[in-house]
Amino acid sequence: RAEGRDNDLITLPHLHEPAILHAVSDRFFHGKIYTWTGPVLIAVNPFERLPLYTDEIREFYRSEGLFRSQGMGNSKGDLEPHVFAVADRSYRQMMAEGRKSQSILISGESGAGKTESTK
């Protein structure tokens, strides 16, 4: 994969501020506002409406999460970063037999999109 196109910053060959900013910026300019950093989701506010929260996309992440929780599903690696993936993974871990407690921290500056992410 080309540097900056990976959906997880952990895979960058050099994990320092310039590389992170370049990778997130490159993904943003390719229409990808979400980026993983391990289990952490980074979101860049595009300041415009994007078709990222449709019923079809929500259902895709829900059904793919269900399949993966059963050991099935997309074996080509991780799903594209999305707030729905965080919500689905947290819900499944909370409801699993081990009943792991879950916390989701959403932070950012004023106008960064925190409210949109929690809807």
Side-chain angles (χ1 to χ4, degrees):
R1 294 181 237 179
E3 185 174 326
R5 299 268 169 86
D6 288 340
N7 66 16
D8 193 339
L9 297 179
I10 298 299
T11 64
L12 288 175
H14 303 288
L15 193 57
H16 51 68
E17 186 176 355
I20 292 169
L21 291 174
H22 174 74
V24 171
S25 171
D26 191 50
R27 285 184 55 80
F28 178 80
F29 287 115
H30 285 90
K32 299 176 185 247
I33 66 166
Y34 293 118
T35 306
W36 291 120
T37 301
V40 175
L41 182 68
I42 296 174
V44 179
N45 189 341
F47 294 102
E48 63 179 288
R49 295 240 180 249
L50 297 175
L52 295 175
Y53 310 107
T54 65
D55 290 340
E56 292 82 17
I57 292 173
R58 186 192 64 218
E59 179 58 25
F60 172 76
Y61 279 90
R62 188 203 65 78
S63 62
E64 192 62 31
L66 175 62
F67 291 142
R68 286 176 181 221
S69 71
Q70 302 299 314
M72 304 179 294
N74 180 357
S75 61
K76 296 176 185 168
D78 291 331
L79 296 171
E80 276 293 308
H82 198 287
V83 70
F84 290 163
V86 173
D88 184 75
R89 183 175 57 223
S90 297
Y91 177 77
R92 290 190 193 289
Q93 289 177 350
M94 181 178 64
M95 299 307 291
E97 193 171 312
R99 299 250 184 210
K100 295 179 182 176
S101 296
Q102 301 295 302
S103 296
I104 298 175
L105 173 66
I106 299 174
S107 69
E109 295 179 3
S110 178
K114 299 177 298 294
T115 302
E116 282 299 315
S117 294
T118 59
K119 286 183 181 178

